[in-house]
Amino acid sequence: MKRALPVVIVALAALLGAALAAAMLDLPPHAVRLPGAVAANLAASGVAHPITAVLLNFRGYDTLLEIAVLLLALFGVLALVKPHAAGAAHPAHPLLQTLARLLAPLMVLVAGYLLWIGASAPGGAFQAGAVLAAAGVLLRLAGLLPTWAAPNLLLRVGLALGLLVFVAVAAAVLGHATLLTYPPALAGGLILVIEASLTLSIGLILAALYLASTEVRP
Amino acid sequence: MSVGLLYALAGAALFAIGLAGLLALPHLLRKILAFNILGSGAFLILVGLGQRDGSVDPVPQAMVLTGIVVAIAATALALALARQLLERTGRMQLPEDRPDAETDDA
Amino acid sequence: MSATLAFDLLLIVALVWSAARALTVADLFRGVVLLIVFGLLMALAWARLGAPDIALAEAAIGAGLTGALLLDAVGHLRAKREPGA
């Protein structure tokens, strides 16, 4: 009985996959034309890149909740890891250290570029934040960043900044219209402010998810 | 068949593989791997189906971008939980998977 | 069969194969490496779907950061199983 269970699970999953595929092939054409709606309103969104417009303007609450979820996940990880002694950045191979020292500033530069270009071309807060986090992970692997037992005040502000700025902007435009409907004249500037703080927070949170859960090794 | 539909079908296959792995594999790290594959399958379905008429649709793309970031946050939280379980029980398996557990790798 | 269709089919076969192998290969470390390969292949798939934004994020997050987290967990597990190793 116990032996047979995985076989049954695999068979049922395969059946589900086949049913999904059959349903997809059977779908009627689109009833709603979303790309057209996005293109028609792009001029009023404050940015020229459709995906950034969707993320920060048309469906801004998705991104608002997303940064909240990220922060919540970090709280979960921080609550779970054993408080261990901070510091103890063990030095790695000198070559790796030098490489990390050279690469980290370049990665920060790339993150800044991705953030800026996001208004008009592929890029934006998520990718920029990911590159920042990768720089943090690289520095940690090279032994140049210490692990930390508990984030200090400055770090806490950085972790929460994205959510705080986003909520503040959302509250500020509430008087103008509905939630996260920016005045078209200010939209571009507001989106840049939100994205800059989001980049910093996403980068710090993603790096922290790695730094907090990796322990000090002898 | 459009490119979108082709990749949506691939997404269905990945979804099925991830689901089977998530339910059938006892090792918690394998479950986390399977969870990531399952998520990738769902993302491919979301974008692929939205673009099945061949046009590029920014709305599902933006949703998947959000989804990828949430998926890594969930992965990090799941790993922290699994480590805590390892710390307390010395095993990387859920209690109900124990009786027939073979010695998994690593 | 056009070249792009052949590429798409090849990529999909590689995606499904790397996903299945990541879950079934005996060594857990290899499984994680295969998942990183899977993430990079996903980045290619996103590029084929006309989604460079997701391709960028997938390469950095799906392959890079997830891989770093999982590899660290595997190392942690090995260190626990073989003290002193």
Side-chain angles (χ1 to χ4, degrees), chain A residues 159-182:
Chain A
L159 289 170
L161 189 70
L163 183 61
L164 292 178
V165 168
F166 212 149
V167 169
V169 171
V173 298
L174 212 49
H176 163 77
T178 54
L179 187 69
L180 286 171
T181 309
Y182 317 114

PDB file of all heavy atoms in Angstrom, chain A residues 159-182:
ATOM      1  N   LEU A 159      15.076  48.361   5.411  1.00  0.00           N
ATOM      2  CA  LEU A 159      14.219  47.220   5.090  1.00  0.00           C
ATOM      3  C   LEU A 159      12.770  47.653   4.921  1.00  0.00           C
ATOM      4  O   LEU A 159      12.054  47.143   4.062  1.00  0.00           O
ATOM      5  CB  LEU A 159      14.311  46.171   6.201  1.00  0.00           C
ATOM      6  CG  LEU A 159      15.622  45.386   6.308  1.00  0.00           C
ATOM      7  CD1 LEU A 159      15.654  44.578   7.586  1.00  0.00           C
ATOM      8  CD2 LEU A 159      15.803  44.476   5.122  1.00  0.00           C
ATOM      9  N   ALA A 160      12.334  48.603   5.736  1.00  0.00           N
ATOM     10  CA  ALA A 160      10.918  48.993   5.732  1.00  0.00           C
ATOM     11  C   ALA A 160      10.641  50.171   4.809  1.00  0.00           C
ATOM     12  O   ALA A 160       9.480  50.492   4.548  1.00  0.00           O
ATOM     13  CB  ALA A 160      10.469  49.329   7.153  1.00  0.00           C
ATOM     14  N   LEU A 161      11.710  50.827   4.304  1.00  0.00           N
ATOM     15  CA  LEU A 161      11.534  52.075   3.561  1.00  0.00           C
ATOM     16  C   LEU A 161      10.575  51.923   2.369  1.00  0.00           C
ATOM     17  O   LEU A 161       9.685  52.762   2.170  1.00  0.00           O
ATOM     18  CB  LEU A 161      12.897  52.584   3.071  1.00  0.00           C
ATOM     19  CG  LEU A 161      12.873  53.981   2.474  1.00  0.00           C
ATOM     20  CD1 LEU A 161      12.632  55.007   3.550  1.00  0.00           C
ATOM     21  CD2 LEU A 161      14.177  54.283   1.743  1.00  0.00           C
ATOM     22  N   GLY A 162      10.749  50.851   1.582  1.00  0.00           N
ATOM     23  CA  GLY A 162       9.922  50.651   0.390  1.00  0.00           C
ATOM     24  C   GLY A 162       8.443  50.655   0.722  1.00  0.00           C
ATOM     25  O   GLY A 162       7.642  51.371   0.114  1.00  0.00           O
ATOM     26  N   LEU A 163       8.088  49.843   1.732  1.00  0.00           N
ATOM     27  CA  LEU A 163       6.678  49.753   2.124  1.00  0.00           C
ATOM     28  C   LEU A 163       6.183  51.094   2.672  1.00  0.00           C
ATOM     29  O   LEU A 163       5.092  51.556   2.318  1.00  0.00           O
ATOM     30  CB  LEU A 163       6.513  48.651   3.183  1.00  0.00           C
ATOM     31  CG  LEU A 163       5.079  48.383   3.640  1.00  0.00           C
ATOM     32  CD1 LEU A 163       4.219  47.926   2.476  1.00  0.00           C
ATOM     33  CD2 LEU A 163       5.034  47.350   4.747  1.00  0.00           C
ATOM     34  N   LEU A 164       7.011  51.741   3.509  1.00  0.00           N
ATOM     35  CA  LEU A 164       6.588  52.998   4.131  1.00  0.00           C
ATOM     36  C   LEU A 164       6.348  54.084   3.085  1.00  0.00           C
ATOM     37  O   LEU A 164       5.323  54.780   3.113  1.00  0.00           O
ATOM     38  CB  LEU A 164       7.642  53.458   5.147  1.00  0.00           C
ATOM     39  CG  LEU A 164       7.776  52.582   6.394  1.00  0.00           C
ATOM     40  CD1 LEU A 164       8.880  53.099   7.295  1.00  0.00           C
ATOM     41  CD2 LEU A 164       6.456  52.516   7.137  1.00  0.00           C
ATOM     42  N   VAL A 165       7.309  54.238   2.140  1.00  0.00           N
ATOM     43  CA  VAL A 165       7.161  55.264   1.106  1.00  0.00           C
ATOM     44  C   VAL A 165       5.939  54.975   0.242  1.00  0.00           C
ATOM     45  O   VAL A 165       5.154  55.873  -0.085  1.00  0.00           O
ATOM     46  CB  VAL A 165       8.441  55.354   0.247  1.00  0.00           C
ATOM     47  CG1 VAL A 165       8.205  56.191  -1.000  1.00  0.00           C
ATOM     48  CG2 VAL A 165       9.584  55.933   1.060  1.00  0.00           C
ATOM     49  N   PHE A 166       5.767  53.692  -0.111  1.00  0.00           N
ATOM     50  CA  PHE A 166       4.634  53.304  -0.956  1.00  0.00           C
ATOM     51  C   PHE A 166       3.309  53.649  -0.249  1.00  0.00           C
ATOM     52  O   PHE A 166       2.400  54.259  -0.843  1.00  0.00           O
ATOM     53  CB  PHE A 166       4.703  51.799  -1.237  1.00  0.00           C
ATOM     54  CG  PHE A 166       4.166  51.395  -2.578  1.00  0.00           C
ATOM     55  CD1 PHE A 166       4.685  50.299  -3.240  1.00  0.00           C
ATOM     56  CD2 PHE A 166       3.147  52.096  -3.193  1.00  0.00           C
ATOM     57  CE1 PHE A 166       4.204  49.924  -4.483  1.00  0.00           C
ATOM     58  CE2 PHE A 166       2.653  51.725  -4.430  1.00  0.00           C
ATOM     59  CZ  PHE A 166       3.190  50.634  -5.070  1.00  0.00           C
ATOM     60  N   VAL A 167       3.204  53.282   1.024  1.00  0.00           N
ATOM     61  CA  VAL A 167       1.971  53.555   1.773  1.00  0.00           C
ATOM     62  C   VAL A 167       1.764  55.066   1.909  1.00  0.00           C
ATOM     63  O   VAL A 167       0.638  55.572   1.774  1.00  0.00           O
ATOM     64  CB  VAL A 167       2.010  52.869   3.152  1.00  0.00           C
ATOM     65  CG1 VAL A 167       0.872  53.354   4.025  1.00  0.00           C
ATOM     66  CG2 VAL A 167       1.942  51.359   2.989  1.00  0.00           C
ATOM     67  N   ALA A 168       2.885  55.808   2.158  1.00  0.00           N
ATOM     68  CA  ALA A 168       2.773  57.258   2.309  1.00  0.00           C
ATOM     69  C   ALA A 168       2.247  57.896   1.027  1.00  0.00           C
ATOM     70  O   ALA A 168       1.355  58.757   1.064  1.00  0.00           O
ATOM     71  CB  ALA A 168       4.135  57.840   2.685  1.00  0.00           C
ATOM     72  N   VAL A 169       2.794  57.471  -0.127  1.00  0.00           N
ATOM     73  CA  VAL A 169       2.326  58.024  -1.404  1.00  0.00           C
ATOM     74  C   VAL A 169       0.867  57.645  -1.634  1.00  0.00           C
ATOM     75  O   VAL A 169       0.047  58.473  -2.055  1.00  0.00           O
ATOM     76  CB  VAL A 169       3.213  57.531  -2.572  1.00  0.00           C
ATOM     77  CG1 VAL A 169       2.609  57.919  -3.907  1.00  0.00           C
ATOM     78  CG2 VAL A 169       4.615  58.097  -2.441  1.00  0.00           C
ATOM     79  N   ALA A 170       0.536  56.375  -1.358  1.00  0.00           N
ATOM     80  CA  ALA A 170      -0.849  55.922  -1.539  1.00  0.00           C
ATOM     81  C   ALA A 170      -1.799  56.764  -0.692  1.00  0.00           C
ATOM     82  O   ALA A 170      -2.879  57.158  -1.142  1.00  0.00           O
ATOM     83  CB  ALA A 170      -0.966  54.444  -1.170  1.00  0.00           C
ATOM     84  N   ALA A 171      -1.386  57.067   0.554  1.00  0.00           N
ATOM     85  CA  ALA A 171      -2.233  57.870   1.435  1.00  0.00           C
ATOM     86  C   ALA A 171      -2.318  59.315   0.935  1.00  0.00           C
ATOM     87  O   ALA A 171      -3.379  59.945   0.993  1.00  0.00           O
ATOM     88  CB  ALA A 171      -1.677  57.832   2.859  1.00  0.00           C
ATOM     89  N   ALA A 172      -1.190  59.828   0.410  1.00  0.00           N
ATOM     90  CA  ALA A 172      -1.158  61.224  -0.023  1.00  0.00           C
ATOM     91  C   ALA A 172      -2.066  61.468  -1.226  1.00  0.00           C
ATOM     92  O   ALA A 172      -2.667  62.536  -1.346  1.00  0.00           O
ATOM     93  CB  ALA A 172       0.283  61.629  -0.352  1.00  0.00           C
ATOM     94  N   VAL A 173      -2.164  60.481  -2.146  1.00  0.00           N
ATOM     95  CA  VAL A 173      -2.997  60.690  -3.328  1.00  0.00           C
ATOM     96  C   VAL A 173      -4.446  60.299  -3.081  1.00  0.00           C
ATOM     97  O   VAL A 173      -5.288  60.431  -3.964  1.00  0.00           O
ATOM     98  CB  VAL A 173      -2.466  59.919  -4.564  1.00  0.00           C
ATOM     99  CG1 VAL A 173      -1.081  60.415  -4.939  1.00  0.00           C
ATOM    100  CG2 VAL A 173      -2.481  58.422  -4.347  1.00  0.00           C
ATOM    101  N   LEU A 174      -4.729  59.829  -1.863  1.00  0.00           N
ATOM    102  CA  LEU A 174      -6.088  59.374  -1.558  1.00  0.00           C
ATOM    103  C   LEU A 174      -7.092  60.528  -1.670  1.00  0.00           C
ATOM    104  O   LEU A 174      -8.238  60.350  -2.068  1.00  0.00           O
ATOM    105  CB  LEU A 174      -6.123  58.765  -0.150  1.00  0.00           C
ATOM    106  CG  LEU A 174      -7.108  57.633   0.097  1.00  0.00           C
ATOM    107  CD1 LEU A 174      -7.011  56.571  -0.979  1.00  0.00           C
ATOM    108  CD2 LEU A 174      -6.856  57.019   1.457  1.00  0.00           C
ATOM    109  N   GLY A 175      -6.638  61.728  -1.316  1.00  0.00           N
ATOM    110  CA  GLY A 175      -7.511  62.884  -1.405  1.00  0.00           C
ATOM    111  C   GLY A 175      -7.844  63.253  -2.848  1.00  0.00           C
ATOM    112  O   GLY A 175      -8.897  63.816  -3.130  1.00  0.00           O
ATOM    113  N   HIS A 176      -6.915  62.919  -3.748  1.00  0.00           N
ATOM    114  CA  HIS A 176      -7.083  63.274  -5.152  1.00  0.00           C
ATOM    115  C   HIS A 176      -8.096  62.366  -5.842  1.00  0.00           C
ATOM    116  O   HIS A 176      -8.968  62.824  -6.568  1.00  0.00           O
ATOM    117  CB  HIS A 176      -5.720  63.199  -5.856  1.00  0.00           C
ATOM    118  CG  HIS A 176      -5.791  63.134  -7.340  1.00  0.00           C
ATOM    119  ND1 HIS A 176      -6.047  64.252  -8.103  1.00  0.00           N
ATOM    120  CD2 HIS A 176      -5.650  62.105  -8.199  1.00  0.00           C
ATOM    121  CE1 HIS A 176      -6.055  63.884  -9.379  1.00  0.00           C
ATOM    122  NE2 HIS A 176      -5.823  62.609  -9.462  1.00  0.00           N
ATOM    123  N   ALA A 177      -7.982  61.058  -5.608  1.00  0.00           N
ATOM    124  CA  ALA A 177      -8.886  60.109  -6.260  1.00  0.00           C
ATOM    125  C   ALA A 177      -8.886  58.825  -5.436  1.00  0.00           C
ATOM    126  O   ALA A 177      -8.713  58.879  -4.228  1.00  0.00           O
ATOM    127  CB  ALA A 177      -8.434  59.842  -7.681  1.00  0.00           C
ATOM    128  N   THR A 178      -9.025  57.676  -6.085  1.00  0.00           N
ATOM    129  CA  THR A 178      -9.027  56.412  -5.355  1.00  0.00           C
ATOM    130  C   THR A 178      -7.596  55.984  -5.047  1.00  0.00           C
ATOM    131  O   THR A 178      -6.638  56.655  -5.423  1.00  0.00           O
ATOM    132  CB  THR A 178      -9.709  55.319  -6.191  1.00  0.00           C
ATOM    133  OG1 THR A 178      -9.078  55.281  -7.458  1.00  0.00           O
ATOM    134  CG2 THR A 178     -11.181  55.586  -6.347  1.00  0.00           C
ATOM    135  N   LEU A 179      -7.479  54.845  -4.343  1.00  0.00           N
ATOM    136  CA  LEU A 179      -6.184  54.366  -3.891  1.00  0.00           C
ATOM    137  C   LEU A 179      -5.221  54.185  -5.061  1.00  0.00           C
ATOM    138  O   LEU A 179      -5.536  53.536  -6.049  1.00  0.00           O
ATOM    139  CB  LEU A 179      -6.360  53.029  -3.159  1.00  0.00           C
ATOM    140  CG  LEU A 179      -5.121  52.463  -2.479  1.00  0.00           C
ATOM    141  CD1 LEU A 179      -4.717  53.296  -1.293  1.00  0.00           C
ATOM    142  CD2 LEU A 179      -5.374  51.030  -2.055  1.00  0.00           C
ATOM    143  N   LEU A 180      -4.029  54.786  -4.936  1.00  0.00           N
ATOM    144  CA  LEU A 180      -2.950  54.626  -5.904  1.00  0.00           C
ATOM    145  C   LEU A 180      -3.316  55.111  -7.309  1.00  0.00           C
ATOM    146  O   LEU A 180      -2.804  54.615  -8.301  1.00  0.00           O
ATOM    147  CB  LEU A 180      -2.476  53.171  -5.961  1.00  0.00           C
ATOM    148  CG  LEU A 180      -1.644  52.751  -4.754  1.00  0.00           C
ATOM    149  CD1 LEU A 180      -1.381  51.266  -4.763  1.00  0.00           C
ATOM    150  CD2 LEU A 180      -0.336  53.519  -4.718  1.00  0.00           C
ATOM    151  N   THR A 181      -4.242  56.060  -7.415  1.00  0.00           N
ATOM    152  CA  THR A 181      -4.476  56.726  -8.691  1.00  0.00           C
ATOM    153  C   THR A 181      -3.735  58.052  -8.630  1.00  0.00           C
ATOM    154  O   THR A 181      -4.172  58.986  -7.971  1.00  0.00           O
ATOM    155  CB  THR A 181      -5.966  56.979  -8.914  1.00  0.00           C
ATOM    156  OG1 THR A 181      -6.672  55.767  -8.708  1.00  0.00           O
ATOM    157  CG2 THR A 181      -6.236  57.480 -10.316  1.00  0.00           C
ATOM    158  N   TYR A 182      -2.562  58.109  -9.303  1.00  0.00           N
ATOM    159  CA  TYR A 182      -1.738  59.306  -9.203  1.00  0.00           C
ATOM    160  C   TYR A 182      -2.287  60.387 -10.114  1.00  0.00           C
ATOM    161  O   TYR A 182      -2.836  60.096 -11.180  1.00  0.00           O
ATOM    162  CB  TYR A 182      -0.293  59.022  -9.614  1.00  0.00           C
ATOM    163  CG  TYR A 182       0.282  57.743  -9.080  1.00  0.00           C
ATOM    164  CD1 TYR A 182       0.613  56.702  -9.934  1.00  0.00           C
ATOM    165  CD2 TYR A 182       0.501  57.574  -7.722  1.00  0.00           C
ATOM    166  CE1 TYR A 182       1.145  55.532  -9.453  1.00  0.00           C
ATOM    167  CE2 TYR A 182       1.036  56.407  -7.240  1.00  0.00           C
ATOM    168  CZ  TYR A 182       1.355  55.386  -8.104  1.00  0.00           C
ATOM    169  OH  TYR A 182       1.875  54.221  -7.630  1.00  0.00           O
TER     170      TYR A 182
END
